[in-house]
Amino acid sequence: MGKPTGFLEIDRADRKYRPVEERLKHYKEFVVPLSEPEIKKQAARCMDCGIPYCHNGCPVNNQIPDWNDLVYRGDWKDAADNLHSTNNFPEVTGRICPAPCEASCTLNIDDKPVTIKTIECSIADRAWEEGWVQPLPPEKKTGKKVAIIGSGPAGLAAAQQLARAGHDVHVYEKNARPGGLLVYGIPDFKMEKDVIARRVKQMEAEGVTFHCGIHVGQDLSAKYLESKHDAVLIAIGSEQPFDFFAKSPGRNLDGLHYAMEFLPQQNRRNAGEPQKPKTNEISAKDKHVIVIGGGDTGSDCIGTSFRQGAKSVTQLEIMPMPPEKENKALSWPHWPLKLRISSSQAEGAKTEYSISTTGFTGEDGKVKKLHYTRVNSNLQPVKGTEGALDADLVLFAMGFSGPVETDIVKEFALPVVPRGRFKGLDATDRDYKLATSPKLFCAGDIRRGQSLVVWAIREGRQAAHAIDKFLMGSTVLPR
């Protein structure tokens, strides 16, 4: 695909970031897009590799070589149509997906994969700019009514697919705006929220009805929804955070917060949206901030803390520092374990590896110190390595254990089962169906455990396929 000799003639080039001192002054996106000629050159690097291993890495089955070839030839509209045929929200994945497709690219054997994520984002953004993204309402209605609980990427993808199949789709969201963690978890500097708002408008024009500010299981009975709809999809995510320090000394001090208490507050401020009632405002301004957890959520906490005016930010990771370069013979085409420096870490955070928090101390009920010990490769404490760090704000970003079990899960008496470190709902992989009721389905993080946005989109599309088949006996929706 692309230019047959492009990968030999053209070096990999990717988007750059605006300078740190500039981007820390605001919450806007700071990625500098490549020009159209440069994008076409990068698309030309997609080689005729015989077996497109990028497909192996892409959960939504994007036809990557096809739209790379179309971009190279200047057929941007056809590229946009191809991209949207497999991915409902490519402008989202083009911004926040870690790009497992690039890890799987044949050219990654030489550490120079095609800039797939950048090309995808360029196609999606151009489709919006040119007005090619239009509502696709169904030609006829089926008379079937579907409720979707949760409007994260899984719920949104399922809603769009089912509405286009002709069903009457109602989405219930507990927050003031649709989008789930896309709106309330991911910082604006990684993805501005008009990206989601314009998709919501498109979906409304396609027949999706959004009911926001309604917490199903509290404000509205889940069983009532079930009685009024032909099918119900549960897509409420995996929001129960891990807390490894519940019994640690000083856990009750003020200044210790989960990441998902901290991040949504800033997104609401940026949008001019009131905070939740009875919420204590959390700010990193003029504070020594410590973020516990080395993943994307931890990185989001770092970038937000710097923009709020933190005095210092330190990130703690219990795992050892990964190698700077993976062993291709062992890892490719799978996602490799290697050192990655996020844009937020590069803004001035100090990252410490092989370190375990042992407790907290404070003054006047507020945290002032975090106590730690170094650990070995088996995560066992190393004697004599104990120490303490200044800490005015400590953010727990250690992932999520499973769904909140006090509302919908409790009302439906749903089977919550362990999945490694995670708990999910016991639904079959083939039809996304829950055995407790013929009408109940589930998708997204609540089914597979905490995962990527691109996996959530796939889950939503798969669940829509299953629901349409359940309602109509057959379906033309893609899996």
Side-chain angles (χ1 to χ4, degrees), residues 68-69 100 134 185 212 214 230 248 257 355 358 386 391 404 408-409 436 447 454 470:
N68 276 336
D69 183 60
Q134 294 294 325
C212 293
I214 298 177
D230 298 292
S248 297
H257 299 279
I355 192 167
T358 56
E386 298 83 1
V404 173
I408 300 169
V409 172
T436 51
R447 194 187 77 89
V454 68
F470 163 74

Side-chain angles (χ1 to χ4, degrees), residues 158 162 233 432 441-443 458-468:
L162 289 167
L233 174 64
Y432 290 70
F441 297 78
C442 68
R458 175 188 169 92
E459 288 265 314
R461 290 172 65 90
Q462 297 276 74
H465 173 99
I467 292 170
D468 189 41

